[in-house]
Amino acid sequence: MLNKLKKKLIQIVETYLSVSKLYVGGYLLNLFGLQVLRSIFKNLIFKLSLYNPKVDDLSISDELERNGIVIIKNFMPHEDFISIKSCLENEETKKLFTYSKNYSKTNVDWLHGKIYKNHIKTKKIYEILNNNFKKYLPYIETVLKQKIRNEVQFNYQFLSLPLGKKDINDSNANIHPDKFFPCIKAFISMKDCTKLEEGPFFYMKKSHKWNLNRIKNEYINSVWYFKSKKINNHTDDKPFKRKLDYLENLSEEPIFCEENSLIITNNMGWHKRGRLAEGQHRKFIRVLFYNDQLSFHKRIIKNLLIKKIE
């Protein structure tokens, strides 16, 4: 009974304060026409922030600032990479991850899960990853304009598409931004991804920039769309076609990489997961920093309610 009440509370808060699947921003923010103000305010905070951590290689931070994405080859020493690869291919280690056949009706099979810091079977993997990754934290902090204080989270993803199947129904394979302000994801490639058939990550370089057209786009996809939907009594769940005039002359580019590469991307920019061809697979370790940017109410939900339900 208590868990049902907690789930209901989460549902109510997410409905009225969190991002909707149909438009940008929460219900109340769009109802009162405030979403765009929030977008402007949030980005101004980033622009005015004085936080500027010291970095060792200016070319990495410059590339992130200029294009929104950077690829770092030979991320870790070869012996470390081979050690992690061997551990992840161990059958006992695989049992820790979740196997999802035909994940979300996409036809793609997923083997995925968290690499735990203190679990006996993944402790070694975590230590190697963390020791090699921590020197890149200043570049991420430069984008986020804040110190990363939380434990870095590593998640394994092994996606494969069986023969005779087509990669379908995945909204992440459609071009989109994750947030309306700077945010970071990173990927460590566990195998070469040098062909379109292997489902590379796609990114629109320079689409992470904040400008007047982006503000207009936020308005069209939040306040205007919300009120138009309400007035016209739209009830379908078809995604609204976004007006993307600020993306003119920009194009989606496949981000090819060799194994043992680190990709750092500002996912305020537009991006998508590439679709796999039949019989192909991809292996990445994903590194997330979204928890470091959670708003106050979402932090309460995550820390006080969801963990208790789990």
Side-chain angles (χ1 to χ4, degrees):
M1 182 64 180
L2 186 59
N3 279 347
K4 286 184 178 180
L5 288 174
K6 288 177 180 177
K7 287 181 179 179
K8 186 65 177 177
L9 177 60
I10 292 170
Q11 184 181 8
I12 291 171
V13 174
E14 288 184 337
T15 298
Y16 289 98
L17 291 177
S18 297
V19 175
S20 164
K21 293 179 180 179
L22 294 181
Y23 43 77
V24 176
Y27 179 95
L28 292 179
L29 289 167
N30 287 308
L31 178 65
F32 295 109
L34 299 176
Q35 163 62 23
V36 172
L37 292 180
R38 183 179 76 158
S39 174
I40 293 172
F41 178 71
K42 186 80 173 180
N43 281 281
L44 280 176
I45 290 176
F46 276 90
K47 292 292 183 183
L48 296 174
S49 173
L50 298 176
Y51 184 74
N52 190 27
K54 182 181 178 182
V55 297
D56 295 327
D57 188 346
L58 286 175
S59 66
I60 294 177
S61 53
D62 288 347
E63 184 75 9
L64 263 176
E65 169 62 25
R66 182 170 58 255
N67 289 322
I69 188 168
V70 64
I71 303 172
I72 299 160
K73 296 182 178 180
N74 299 316
F75 160 62
M76 66 184 95
H78 181 69
E79 58 271 19
D80 283 354
F81 179 77
I82 294 300
S83 179
I84 289 178
K85 193 172 182 179
S86 175
C87 288
L88 289 174
E89 291 174 354
N90 182 280
E91 291 301 321
E92 291 302 311
T93 305
K94 288 181 181 179
K95 291 178 183 178
L96 297 176
F97 303 129
T98 300
Y99 177 69
S100 304
K101 187 174 179 61
N102 188 18
Y103 181 73
S104 296
K105 298 181 179 179
T106 60
N107 288 328
V108 178
D109 299 335
W110 284 56
L111 182 68
H112 56 113
K114 184 175 180 180
I115 296 173
Y116 290 96
K117 179 180 180 180
N118 295 317
H119 195 287
I120 188 170
K121 293 178 182 176
T122 57
K123 184 177 180 179
K124 180 181 178 181
I125 302 174
Y126 186 94
E127 287 178 354
I128 294 174
L129 288 172
N130 196 51
N131 287 337
N132 284 285
F133 193 84
K134 59 186 179 183
K135 66 182 177 183
Y136 294 100
L137 284 177
Y139 304 102
I140 292 164
E141 292 170 346
T142 299
V143 175
L144 301 185
K145 300 294 184 181
Q146 68 180 72
K147 182 74 176 175
I148 302 297
R149 303 186 186 280
N150 294 331
E151 179 182 290
V152 176
Q153 294 183 28
F154 300 100
N155 293 273
Y156 180 56
Q157 289 186 342
F158 175 25
L159 281 62
S160 59
L161 184 67
L163 291 172
K165 297 290 185 178
K166 186 176 181 180
D167 188 345
I168 58 172
N169 296 337
D170 187 354
S171 60
N172 287 319
N174 298 321
I175 198 76
H176 66 280
D178 281 359
K179 298 184 184 296
F180 59 87
F181 52 85
C183 57
I184 287 287
K185 275 184 183 176
F187 305 89
I188 302 164
S189 58
M190 296 308 298
K191 69 178 290 289
D192 291 346
C193 188
T194 57
K195 304 175 185 175
L196 288 176
E197 293 84 358
E198 295 170 324
F201 181 75
F202 278 74
Y203 193 82
M204 296 183 77
K205 293 180 179 179
K206 297 182 172 64
S207 66
H208 65 298
K209 302 290 186 179
W210 185 63
N211 51 40
L212 185 60
N213 278 329
R214 180 132 195 178
I215 295 172
K216 183 169 67 174
N217 177 251
E218 294 290 349
Y219 174 79
I220 289 170
N221 287 281
S222 57
V223 179
W224 181 87
Y225 175 57
F226 175 83
K227 291 184 175 179
S228 172
K229 178 176 180 293
K230 187 177 180 183
I231 291 170
N232 296 310
N233 195 28
H234 296 166
T235 56
D236 62 270
D237 288 338
K238 294 180 181 177
F240 183 66
K241 187 175 181 179
R242 299 170 183 268
K243 185 174 176 59
L244 303 176
D245 51 353
Y246 73 95
L247 296 178
E248 278 188 30
N249 301 319
L250 301 182
S251 58
E252 307 168 16
E253 294 183 32
I255 307 301
F256 295 126
C257 62
E258 299 173 355
E259 66 176 15
N260 194 20
S261 293
L262 171 65
I263 301 171
I264 304 175
T265 168
N266 182 345
N267 276 6
M268 179 180 175
W270 291 70
H271 61 279
K272 68 179 182 180
R273 174 181 77 78
R275 296 189 185 276
L276 290 164
E278 60 175 318
Q280 296 292 333
H281 65 276
R282 53 178 276 186
K283 294 181 184 180
F284 282 93
I285 293 173
R286 189 173 65 160
V287 195
L288 292 177
F289 297 92
Y290 289 1
N291 287 346
D292 296 89
Q293 295 180 287
L294 284 176
S295 57
F296 179 72
H297 76 274
K298 289 182 181 178
R299 198 174 295 119
I300 291 177
I301 293 173
K302 185 174 182 67
N303 293 335
L304 298 183
L305 297 177
I306 293 179
K307 284 185 178 180
K308 289 184 180 180
I309 291 174
E310 291 175 347

